[in-house]
Amino acid sequence: MERSLRAARIATFGFFTLNGFVMGMWVVHIPTVEHRAGISHAVLGWLLLLLGGGAFAGMQLAGPLTDRLGARKVVPASAVLCSAALILPGLATEAWTLAVALLVFGFGNGCLDVSMNTHAVQVERGYRRPVMSAFHAFFSVGGVLAALVGARTLSWDWSAALTLTSVSVFGLAVTVLFTPALLRSAPAGAPEAATDEASAGRKPSPADQPAPRGKTPSRIWALAALAFMLMLCEGVANDWSVLGLREVLDAPAATAAFAYGAFSTAMTIGRLLTDRVSARFGPVAIVRYGTSLAALGLTAVALSPWIPLALVGWTVFGIGLSGSVPQLFSAAGHADEGSAGANVSRVAGLGYLGMLAGPAIIGPMTHFLPLNLTFFLPVAFCVIAACAARILRTGSVVAAVASAGPAHERAGNQPA
């Protein structure tokens, strides 16, 4: 059992890395695809909304489907669809063909996102300790690999069609390699996601009870709202960090690029470290103090008159934000084992809409406020998340293990 669980964890790392790599390769080739399709920046902006819409639709379908069929079937099918669909943007020669390509690619990405996160919850349940954040870190690693590989193939003058087709074939090979290690069902003997409140030392509240089948609990929607706010914050960093340094502090282009680099590096390192911190202090502390730290970092960015302080602010913002969203995904997945996929799809879907909404909200705000002052909107969202962190007190893997009583003390032979 330990060997199969360890293999499943490695396979989950593989699928998260693949997802980040595939998405990163698309991002690297956006200018090339735009030129080949003969469209303007404005048209591309509208078409990217189809990518987001397709992803949202895929998330909502994949969640219940994963609950019904199991992640072992849905994850590889989604990975095949996402990898194969990557070819389509590279072949598009007109706006309408690119629109169809992005809709299909977004759909495949959404399916893979939710199904692999649901499997990650299943692996975490087997480990009986937090392991979710590290999976999200490897998604970021996949993006870094895509930047390196994409830069190399572009320097070789490879066409987008050739590169994306090669990546698609690679994705299919990775899927074949890792699929056999995926878990068939919830690990035997794993604690139930719903906590035994009596052993946890308090009476259960109505919000902690499983909702009737087909009805999403209010607690899941609360987690989804937090995901919307925090992923909006992440979207703001992705799209406005470099421009902020350029416009507000008049930084050179090369220096401004370090703003996003500092943020993304801090996010990756933070997620690699979060699981150990969460195991010791719990997910409430991760969200409460992490988002508080993020609020301080972004406040420093907004008010800083110096480029070095702004770069430090983006780094602190990334560290503080890094572990929070994985805690929300984990809590949603553990809230009800039988509806883990559907619950994760709600949180992931609304969170994804938040990431898309960030640039859309900040842009119009700049007509009335300087760009740096618009950053106080994500600061406010971080403060709200810090105040609402108590919602993670139940439904997490930490709470599930705590409610299992002395049995978890015998888990000294857990897989590493």
PDB file of all heavy atoms in Angstrom, residues 37-55:
ATOM      1  N   ALA A  37      -2.603  33.903 -37.228  1.00  0.00           N
ATOM      2  CA  ALA A  37      -4.044  34.033 -37.432  1.00  0.00           C
ATOM      3  C   ALA A  37      -4.425  35.394 -38.010  1.00  0.00           C
ATOM      4  O   ALA A  37      -5.571  35.585 -38.441  1.00  0.00           O
ATOM      5  CB  ALA A  37      -4.782  33.813 -36.108  1.00  0.00           C
ATOM      6  N   GLY A  38      -3.483  36.343 -38.013  1.00  0.00           N
ATOM      7  CA  GLY A  38      -3.743  37.651 -38.591  1.00  0.00           C
ATOM      8  C   GLY A  38      -4.762  38.466 -37.817  1.00  0.00           C
ATOM      9  O   GLY A  38      -5.628  39.123 -38.423  1.00  0.00           O
ATOM     10  N   ILE A  39      -4.678  38.451 -36.490  1.00  0.00           N
ATOM     11  CA  ILE A  39      -5.651  39.174 -35.673  1.00  0.00           C
ATOM     12  C   ILE A  39      -4.944  40.260 -34.863  1.00  0.00           C
ATOM     13  O   ILE A  39      -3.728  40.237 -34.684  1.00  0.00           O
ATOM     14  CB  ILE A  39      -6.392  38.224 -34.709  1.00  0.00           C
ATOM     15  CG1 ILE A  39      -5.391  37.499 -33.797  1.00  0.00           C
ATOM     16  CG2 ILE A  39      -7.226  37.212 -35.491  1.00  0.00           C
ATOM     17  CD1 ILE A  39      -6.054  36.616 -32.751  1.00  0.00           C
ATOM     18  N   SER A  40      -5.728  41.199 -34.359  1.00  0.00           N
ATOM     19  CA  SER A  40      -5.187  42.292 -33.554  1.00  0.00           C
ATOM     20  C   SER A  40      -5.133  41.873 -32.080  1.00  0.00           C
ATOM     21  O   SER A  40      -5.703  40.855 -31.681  1.00  0.00           O
ATOM     22  CB  SER A  40      -6.068  43.534 -33.701  1.00  0.00           C
ATOM     23  OG  SER A  40      -7.360  43.276 -33.149  1.00  0.00           O
ATOM     24  N   HIS A  41      -4.472  42.713 -31.277  1.00  0.00           N
ATOM     25  CA  HIS A  41      -4.425  42.457 -29.843  1.00  0.00           C
ATOM     26  C   HIS A  41      -5.837  42.465 -29.241  1.00  0.00           C
ATOM     27  O   HIS A  41      -6.158  41.672 -28.354  1.00  0.00           O
ATOM     28  CB  HIS A  41      -3.585  43.520 -29.132  1.00  0.00           C
ATOM     29  CG  HIS A  41      -2.137  43.481 -29.517  1.00  0.00           C
ATOM     30  ND1 HIS A  41      -1.492  42.338 -29.927  1.00  0.00           N
ATOM     31  CD2 HIS A  41      -1.194  44.468 -29.534  1.00  0.00           C
ATOM     32  CE1 HIS A  41      -0.224  42.613 -30.196  1.00  0.00           C
ATOM     33  NE2 HIS A  41      -0.022  43.905 -29.963  1.00  0.00           N
ATOM     34  N   ALA A  42      -6.672  43.367 -29.733  1.00  0.00           N
ATOM     35  CA  ALA A  42      -8.032  43.470 -29.198  1.00  0.00           C
ATOM     36  C   ALA A  42      -8.822  42.191 -29.455  1.00  0.00           C
ATOM     37  O   ALA A  42      -9.512  41.678 -28.573  1.00  0.00           O
ATOM     38  CB  ALA A  42      -8.741  44.674 -29.816  1.00  0.00           C
ATOM     39  N   VAL A  43      -8.706  41.673 -30.688  1.00  0.00           N
ATOM     40  CA  VAL A  43      -9.414  40.429 -31.018  1.00  0.00           C
ATOM     41  C   VAL A  43      -8.864  39.267 -30.184  1.00  0.00           C
ATOM     42  O   VAL A  43      -9.620  38.430 -29.689  1.00  0.00           O
ATOM     43  CB  VAL A  43      -9.288  40.115 -32.522  1.00  0.00           C
ATOM     44  CG1 VAL A  43      -9.867  38.736 -32.838  1.00  0.00           C
ATOM     45  CG2 VAL A  43      -9.994  41.191 -33.339  1.00  0.00           C
ATOM     46  N   LEU A  44      -7.551  39.234 -30.013  1.00  0.00           N
ATOM     47  CA  LEU A  44      -6.952  38.184 -29.189  1.00  0.00           C
ATOM     48  C   LEU A  44      -7.511  38.235 -27.765  1.00  0.00           C
ATOM     49  O   LEU A  44      -7.791  37.201 -27.165  1.00  0.00           O
ATOM     50  CB  LEU A  44      -5.429  38.341 -29.160  1.00  0.00           C
ATOM     51  CG  LEU A  44      -4.680  37.347 -28.263  1.00  0.00           C
ATOM     52  CD1 LEU A  44      -4.839  35.924 -28.781  1.00  0.00           C
ATOM     53  CD2 LEU A  44      -3.201  37.720 -28.163  1.00  0.00           C
ATOM     54  N   GLY A  45      -7.670  39.450 -27.233  1.00  0.00           N
ATOM     55  CA  GLY A  45      -8.218  39.577 -25.884  1.00  0.00           C
ATOM     56  C   GLY A  45      -9.600  38.957 -25.769  1.00  0.00           C
ATOM     57  O   GLY A  45      -9.897  38.261 -24.791  1.00  0.00           O
ATOM     58  N   TRP A  46     -10.434  39.180 -26.768  1.00  0.00           N
ATOM     59  CA  TRP A  46     -11.767  38.578 -26.751  1.00  0.00           C
ATOM     60  C   TRP A  46     -11.688  37.067 -26.896  1.00  0.00           C
ATOM     61  O   TRP A  46     -12.438  36.325 -26.236  1.00  0.00           O
ATOM     62  CB  TRP A  46     -12.627  39.169 -27.865  1.00  0.00           C
ATOM     63  CG  TRP A  46     -13.089  40.556 -27.600  1.00  0.00           C
ATOM     64  CD1 TRP A  46     -12.650  41.704 -28.184  1.00  0.00           C
ATOM     65  CD2 TRP A  46     -14.070  40.957 -26.645  1.00  0.00           C
ATOM     66  NE1 TRP A  46     -13.286  42.799 -27.658  1.00  0.00           N
ATOM     67  CE2 TRP A  46     -14.177  42.372 -26.709  1.00  0.00           C
ATOM     68  CE3 TRP A  46     -14.875  40.264 -25.735  1.00  0.00           C
ATOM     69  CZ2 TRP A  46     -15.052  43.091 -25.908  1.00  0.00           C
ATOM     70  CZ3 TRP A  46     -15.751  40.994 -24.930  1.00  0.00           C
ATOM     71  CH2 TRP A  46     -15.836  42.381 -25.020  1.00  0.00           C
ATOM     72  N   LEU A  47     -10.782  36.598 -27.735  1.00  0.00           N
ATOM     73  CA  LEU A  47     -10.669  35.149 -27.937  1.00  0.00           C
ATOM     74  C   LEU A  47     -10.154  34.440 -26.681  1.00  0.00           C
ATOM     75  O   LEU A  47     -10.520  33.291 -26.419  1.00  0.00           O
ATOM     76  CB  LEU A  47      -9.741  34.857 -29.123  1.00  0.00           C
ATOM     77  CG  LEU A  47     -10.241  35.301 -30.504  1.00  0.00           C
ATOM     78  CD1 LEU A  47      -9.239  34.892 -31.582  1.00  0.00           C
ATOM     79  CD2 LEU A  47     -11.609  34.717 -30.805  1.00  0.00           C
ATOM     80  N   LEU A  48      -9.324  35.139 -25.912  1.00  0.00           N
ATOM     81  CA  LEU A  48      -8.829  34.530 -24.677  1.00  0.00           C
ATOM     82  C   LEU A  48      -9.954  34.300 -23.677  1.00  0.00           C
ATOM     83  O   LEU A  48      -9.849  33.426 -22.809  1.00  0.00           O
ATOM     84  CB  LEU A  48      -7.737  35.413 -24.059  1.00  0.00           C
ATOM     85  CG  LEU A  48      -6.402  35.424 -24.810  1.00  0.00           C
ATOM     86  CD1 LEU A  48      -5.431  36.415 -24.162  1.00  0.00           C
ATOM     87  CD2 LEU A  48      -5.791  34.034 -24.871  1.00  0.00           C
ATOM     88  N   LEU A  49     -11.031  35.083 -23.802  1.00  0.00           N
ATOM     89  CA  LEU A  49     -12.191  34.835 -22.948  1.00  0.00           C
ATOM     90  C   LEU A  49     -12.812  33.476 -23.266  1.00  0.00           C
ATOM     91  O   LEU A  49     -13.365  32.817 -22.381  1.00  0.00           O
ATOM     92  CB  LEU A  49     -13.231  35.941 -23.132  1.00  0.00           C
ATOM     93  CG  LEU A  49     -12.832  37.332 -22.617  1.00  0.00           C
ATOM     94  CD1 LEU A  49     -13.942  38.333 -22.910  1.00  0.00           C
ATOM     95  CD2 LEU A  49     -12.545  37.276 -21.121  1.00  0.00           C
ATOM     96  N   LEU A  50     -12.719  33.042 -24.536  1.00  0.00           N
ATOM     97  CA  LEU A  50     -13.213  31.714 -24.898  1.00  0.00           C
ATOM     98  C   LEU A  50     -12.376  30.635 -24.240  1.00  0.00           C
ATOM     99  O   LEU A  50     -12.899  29.588 -23.839  1.00  0.00           O
ATOM    100  CB  LEU A  50     -13.207  31.541 -26.414  1.00  0.00           C
ATOM    101  CG  LEU A  50     -14.229  32.365 -27.203  1.00  0.00           C
ATOM    102  CD1 LEU A  50     -14.030  32.165 -28.697  1.00  0.00           C
ATOM    103  CD2 LEU A  50     -15.639  31.966 -26.794  1.00  0.00           C
ATOM    104  N   LEU A  51     -11.066  30.873 -24.137  1.00  0.00           N
ATOM    105  CA  LEU A  51     -10.197  29.933 -23.426  1.00  0.00           C
ATOM    106  C   LEU A  51     -10.660  29.786 -21.972  1.00  0.00           C
ATOM    107  O   LEU A  51     -10.782  28.669 -21.455  1.00  0.00           O
ATOM    108  CB  LEU A  51      -8.754  30.424 -23.475  1.00  0.00           C
ATOM    109  CG  LEU A  51      -7.708  29.599 -22.715  1.00  0.00           C
ATOM    110  CD1 LEU A  51      -7.496  28.254 -23.380  1.00  0.00           C
ATOM    111  CD2 LEU A  51      -6.391  30.360 -22.629  1.00  0.00           C
ATOM    112  N   GLY A  52     -10.940  30.924 -21.330  1.00  0.00           N
ATOM    113  CA  GLY A  52     -11.425  30.876 -19.951  1.00  0.00           C
ATOM    114  C   GLY A  52     -12.795  30.244 -19.843  1.00  0.00           C
ATOM    115  O   GLY A  52     -13.057  29.454 -18.923  1.00  0.00           O
ATOM    116  N   GLY A  53     -13.687  30.564 -20.785  1.00  0.00           N
ATOM    117  CA  GLY A  53     -15.022  29.959 -20.759  1.00  0.00           C
ATOM    118  C   GLY A  53     -14.979  28.459 -20.960  1.00  0.00           C
ATOM    119  O   GLY A  53     -15.710  27.708 -20.301  1.00  0.00           O
ATOM    120  N   GLY A  54     -14.125  28.011 -21.878  1.00  0.00           N
ATOM    121  CA  GLY A  54     -13.977  26.571 -22.086  1.00  0.00           C
ATOM    122  C   GLY A  54     -13.440  25.878 -20.859  1.00  0.00           C
ATOM    123  O   GLY A  54     -13.885  24.785 -20.492  1.00  0.00           O
ATOM    124  N   ALA A  55     -12.459  26.526 -20.190  1.00  0.00           N
ATOM    125  CA  ALA A  55     -11.889  25.946 -18.971  1.00  0.00           C
ATOM    126  C   ALA A  55     -12.940  25.832 -17.877  1.00  0.00           C
ATOM    127  O   ALA A  55     -13.035  24.807 -17.185  1.00  0.00           O
ATOM    128  CB  ALA A  55     -10.711  26.790 -18.488  1.00  0.00           C
TER     129      ALA A  55
END
